[in-house]
Amino acid sequence: SIRQAEVLVEKAKLIEGKWFLSKMQNFLDFEKPLLDIQAKMEELRHLKDTSENIANELSNLQDKFDKKLYEIYEDLTPFQKVKVCRHQDRPKFDDIVEKIFDKAEYLSGDRLYADDTSLKGCLTKIEDKKFLVIGNDKGKDIDSRVKNNFGMAKPEGYRKAQRLFKIASKFNIPIVTFIDTPGAFPGVEAEDRGQSEAIASSIKNSLSVNSPIFSFVIGEGGSGGAVAMGMGNKVVMLEHSIYSVISPEGCASILWRSINHSEKAAENLKLTAQDLFELEVIDEIIKEPIGGAHRNINETCELIKECLLRFSREFENMTSDEIVLHREKKYLEIGKKFLENWFLLKLTTTM
């Protein structure tokens, strides 16, 4: 009947409205101007009027949206970058594995206690090139986030990583790590099972692996939990990712006894990709699509893939000894330039 048809139309509008609201909620607080423009565009799209004036107005609003998006992301503050790297729609481990590699065979368990789903590992291929991939997985929805502990690995996760490192080292398979974690899990059960030892052993074992390690910080690189996966021959960060010994909120709560100073902490921690490249802690920055990696996951994954294959070609003719020596030299030289400049500054100020 006509009445039933009207009810169905109303339900469709309600569902569409809820979908639109859920999409709008994914805008960050500093992106409010974009949200306002998007709302106007959606209003026009839902009008029955299909005249040329509506089409022109939509085109103008889209141009305005794109321009504003560029302006916002051209000059993000460190704390805004923290928010971007935590965005719920950023590419996750499973997205990257699916879009970059041709095939993946997942490996589970540490052979000591259990399997930790927050830290995944798999054997993969890109055409004829083999890789062992390990990375943090925060999860995509509430259930998977709780299951994966929001990307915070427990000791069994790091011991699984060590087991997979040894497999890769034995068969000379390049290792790729994808880092996206607030830090290692700080719970009592993790400490009971030797969290600090597991992290320290992961760092130690990474330095002696015979095959090359390529580390990509794709979101948050928090504390020792990130360093345990980040001892690569090459360390790369996405443009709006962060890498730090502590979160801005944690730093602010310690130094100023209040998380209200998180923005100040972020500025002083030097946690952005740009800061760390300048300090020579990382080797390269992968530029993200305008508006962040979450706005074009396919393009982001393609850029990561290009970078990975380039690194693979660079190291494919190196011997195991050369690879280990390259890694040792890289980390021994971090901070050397900074110390030389500091001593030079001290000399000039005391003369």
Side-chain angles (χ1 to χ4, degrees):
S1 69
I2 296 175
R3 178 57 188 159
Q4 288 176 326
E6 289 175 346
V7 170
L8 288 172
V9 169
E10 289 302 318
K11 283 184 177 179
K13 286 182 179 178
L14 183 63
I15 291 169
E16 191 174 26
K18 286 181 178 177
W19 174 86
F20 174 57
L21 286 173
S22 69
K23 287 294 179 184
M24 289 200 299
Q25 288 168 2
N26 292 345
F27 281 90
L28 298 168
D29 57 357
F30 60 87
E31 294 179 326
K32 189 179 182 302
L34 298 174
L35 176 58
D36 296 338
I37 298 170
Q38 184 77 24
K40 291 176 184 177
M41 291 170 67
E42 290 300 320
E43 286 177 12
L44 289 175
R45 287 194 181 108
H46 285 82
L47 292 176
K48 292 182 180 179
D49 188 353
T50 58
S51 66
E52 188 177 339
N53 290 337
I54 296 295
N56 290 336
E57 183 62 22
L58 279 170
S59 178
N60 291 335
L61 284 171
Q62 185 62 57
D63 291 341
K64 188 177 179 182
F65 182 94
D66 294 340
K67 183 180 178 182
K68 196 65 182 177
L69 182 68
Y70 179 81
E71 289 174 357
I72 290 172
Y73 276 81
E74 188 180 26
D75 190 27
L76 291 178
T77 67
F79 197 57
Q80 285 174 337
K81 284 181 178 285
V82 172
K83 293 178 180 179
V84 173
C85 83
R86 292 173 178 171
H87 197 287
Q88 65 187 53
D89 295 331
R90 274 184 83 82
K92 304 298 190 295
F93 179 81
D94 287 340
D95 296 323
I96 289 172
V97 170
E98 180 185 345
K99 294 181 184 298
I100 290 180
F101 302 97
D102 301 330
K103 186 179 179 182
E105 191 68 39
Y106 282 83
L107 305 170
S108 303
D110 66 346
R111 301 298 186 267
L112 292 170
Y113 181 76
D115 183 46
D116 186 351
T117 57
S118 68
L119 198 58
K120 294 181 176 179
C122 54
L123 288 167
T124 63
K125 288 179 72 175
I126 300 178
E127 296 177 355
D128 61 335
K129 294 181 182 292
K130 298 177 183 178
F131 299 94
L132 188 137
V133 179
I134 305 173
N136 305 105
D137 186 7
K138 285 183 173 180
K140 288 187 172 183
D141 51 37
I142 293 297
D143 291 337
S144 60
R145 284 170 190 155
V146 171
K147 181 184 176 183
N148 294 352
N149 219 20
F150 297 88
M152 296 184 289
K154 297 177 181 178
E156 50 268 28
Y158 295 112
R159 291 180 180 128
K160 173 169 66 176
Q162 292 174 48
R163 182 174 76 84
L164 300 186
F165 281 164
K166 289 174 183 177
I167 292 173
S169 183
K170 181 178 180 179
F171 295 101
N172 292 316
I173 302 172
I175 298 170
V176 186
T177 64
F178 292 108
I179 300 163
D180 186 16
T181 177
F185 181 61
V188 173
E189 64 267 36
E191 297 299 333
D192 285 343
R193 295 197 293 274
Q195 183 73 290
S196 57
E197 184 278 333
I199 293 171
S201 294
S202 291
I203 295 171
K204 178 185 175 184
N205 291 336
S206 296
L207 291 171
S208 58
V209 168
N210 291 327
S211 48
I213 303 175
F214 310 127
S215 299
F216 294 84
V217 183
I218 58 173
E220 282 186 275
S223 194
V227 176
M229 294 291 102
M231 303 298 291
N233 293 83
K234 294 286 187 178
V235 181
V236 181
M237 293 178 68
L238 292 186
E239 182 183 4
H240 302 310
S241 60
I242 64 168
Y243 199 10
S244 175
V245 69
I246 192 172
S247 68
E249 294 87 350
C251 177
S253 64
I254 292 171
L255 295 182
W256 294 285
R257 307 295 182 190
S258 171
I259 62 170
N260 294 331
H261 295 278
S262 297
E263 192 166 348
K264 182 178 179 182
E267 291 173 3
N268 287 280
L269 280 169
K270 302 297 181 185
L271 44 64
T272 68
Q274 294 73 23
D275 289 328
L276 293 165
F277 182 75
E278 187 178 343
L279 292 169
E280 299 182 349
V281 173
I282 65 170
D283 301 285
E284 195 169 316
I285 299 171
I286 295 177
K287 191 167 181 61
E288 297 184 23
I290 299 298
H294 55 283
R295 283 193 162 88
N296 194 331
I297 292 176
N298 288 334
E299 183 182 339
T300 301
C301 289
E302 192 59 39
L303 291 170
I304 294 172
K305 183 177 180 179
E306 289 174 8
C307 182
L308 172 59
L309 291 174
R310 175 161 44 84
F311 288 159
S312 179
R313 290 191 294 270
E314 184 180 336
F315 282 81
E316 64 184 357
N317 294 321
M318 292 175 67
T319 66
S320 296
D321 288 340
E322 288 172 336
I323 289 168
V324 173
L325 187 64
H326 176 278
R327 198 180 302 125
E328 289 179 356
K329 185 179 178 183
K330 170 183 172 62
Y331 290 99
L332 287 171
E333 288 187 351
I334 287 179
K336 186 176 179 182
K337 183 178 178 181
F338 172 81
L339 287 174
E340 288 174 352
N341 291 337
W342 184 80
F343 281 120
L344 184 63
L345 181 65
K346 291 288 284 184
L347 284 171
T348 54
T349 53
T350 53
M351 287 176 64

